[in-house]
Amino acid sequence: MKAVLTIAGSDSSGGAGIQADLKTIIAHQLFGESVITALTAQNTTGVFGVMDVDPAFVGAQMDAVFDDIRPDAVKIGMVSSPDIVRAIADGLRRHHACNIVVDPVMVATSGSALIADAAVDALVAELFPLADVVTPNIPEAEVLAGMKIAGAEDVERAAELIAERCIAAAETSPDLDAVPRVPAIMVKGGHGVGAPDAADDYLRMAGGEHVWLRGRRVETANTHGTGCSLSSAVACGLAQGFSVDVAVREAKAYVAGALGAGLDLGRGSGPLNHMWRYGQPPC
């Protein structure tokens, strides 16, 4: 059985973060492992508190995982401080991790901020050069690219600017190969930049090739944990040996099904039905 490690924050309501990641991994019939970066007090209506894990203990969790059941892919989600970013990057290098997906989580579905401003620069400098895929949504891509996104051309330009930041970061890293490594960049279109009924994602491959992944928007207010689940599904695909473009397409289809299953829990933006393929509610 292939194993997938999620490095992220815990969501006490179970809809996003570590909990959503593990449900996604289980739904793909893979073995899920976790390194917790923060505890959150949250539910479908908002985030009411965040307690970071000591960076050294984040590293200790990583060592325990890699030294025993080595993961075939790694998904990185909520990382709220530069010190934790560096601890994760050190651990990934130390253990020569592969198939790394970085979801630059900045704001929860409810609108609550989940990352310090200084951690954004650390993400780009430390983790993006190690990643195989980076999965920002539209607001996150705006922050990373330093520009406003109003349409499809802006999405494409933002992806190029993010790639340029990755190249610049890789060139200054003494731990990486001489040739700058650029991850594939998937700009998620769930916040909408096209037709009202569309949910189109844009994929810029590591080599510069690009494609629009067309999809139909699922009309639902229950989107808590969508980004977490998608990035975890991408990691599952990579763990199974899929190419990046296939892993991304499969992940998009999985999340569309989880949204379309129509689960309705909580008083705010509710969670997805991660087990929709099996005709069961979430674990």
Side-chain angles (χ1 to χ4, degrees):
M1 180 180 287
K2 299 291 186 179
V4 177
L5 168 63
T6 166
I7 304 175
S10 171
D11 173 4
S12 53
S13 71
I18 287 284
Q19 288 80 358
D21 296 340
L22 291 174
K23 291 172 185 176
T24 299
I25 295 165
I26 292 169
H28 284 78
Q29 298 184 325
L30 304 178
F31 186 78
E33 303 176 281
S34 64
V35 167
I36 298 177
T37 61
L39 303 178
T40 69
Q42 69 173 296
N43 56 31
T44 62
T45 67
V47 179
F48 305 100
V50 177
M51 180 184 296
D52 286 341
V53 172
D54 180 79
F57 194 69
V58 171
Q61 292 179 76
M62 293 182 69
D63 290 343
V65 170
F66 277 93
D67 288 345
D68 190 13
I69 305 175
R70 182 179 176 85
D72 298 281
V74 180
K75 172 264 172 79
I76 302 167
M78 176 189 171
V79 186
S80 57
S81 79
D83 288 341
I84 297 177
V85 170
R86 283 187 282 271
I88 294 169
D90 289 345
L92 295 175
R93 295 188 187 101
R94 186 164 60 250
H95 294 288
H96 306 287
C98 63
N99 295 326
I100 299 169
V101 180
V102 177
D103 184 20
V105 178
M106 297 178 187
V107 178
T109 303
S110 62
S112 302
L114 292 172
I115 185 171
D117 291 341
V120 176
D121 290 337
L123 274 175
V124 175
E126 298 278 355
L127 291 181
F128 282 19
L130 300 174
D132 294 277
V133 187
V134 177
T135 62
N137 59 28
I138 295 296
E140 292 158 354
E142 289 180 331
V143 172
L144 294 169
M147 62 174 285
K148 186 69 177 175
I149 296 176
E153 291 184 358
D154 293 335
V155 171
E156 296 177 6
R157 176 59 179 156
E160 291 302 319
L161 290 173
I162 296 170
E164 290 174 9
R165 287 192 71 180
C166 293
I167 292 173
E171 288 175 339
T172 61
S173 174
D175 299 313
L176 300 177
D177 296 334
V179 178
R181 182 181 183 189
V182 181
I185 299 165
M186 180 186 186
V187 182
K188 299 173 290 190
H191 287 76
V193 293
D197 63 343
D200 298 336
D201 302 324
Y202 178 75
L203 178 64
R204 184 203 186 276
M205 297 292 291
E209 308 91 343
H210 56 88
V211 62
W212 278 95
L213 308 173
R214 304 299 180 183
R216 183 170 296 278
R217 181 176 299 278
V218 177
E219 291 301 328
T220 177
N222 298 313
T223 58
H224 185 57
T226 303
C228 303
S229 302
L230 187 139
S231 54
S232 295
V234 173
C236 288
L238 296 180
Q240 292 171 297
F242 297 162
S243 62
V244 168
D245 60 327
V246 172
V248 165
R249 292 179 187 276
E250 290 292 321
K252 183 175 175 66
Y254 167 75
V255 169
L259 288 167
L263 188 66
D264 187 19
L265 296 174
R267 294 182 292 108
S269 179
L272 318 182
N273 186 342
H274 291 91
M275 304 303 291
W276 66 274
R277 284 175 171 161
Y278 305 98
Q280 298 293 330
C283 298

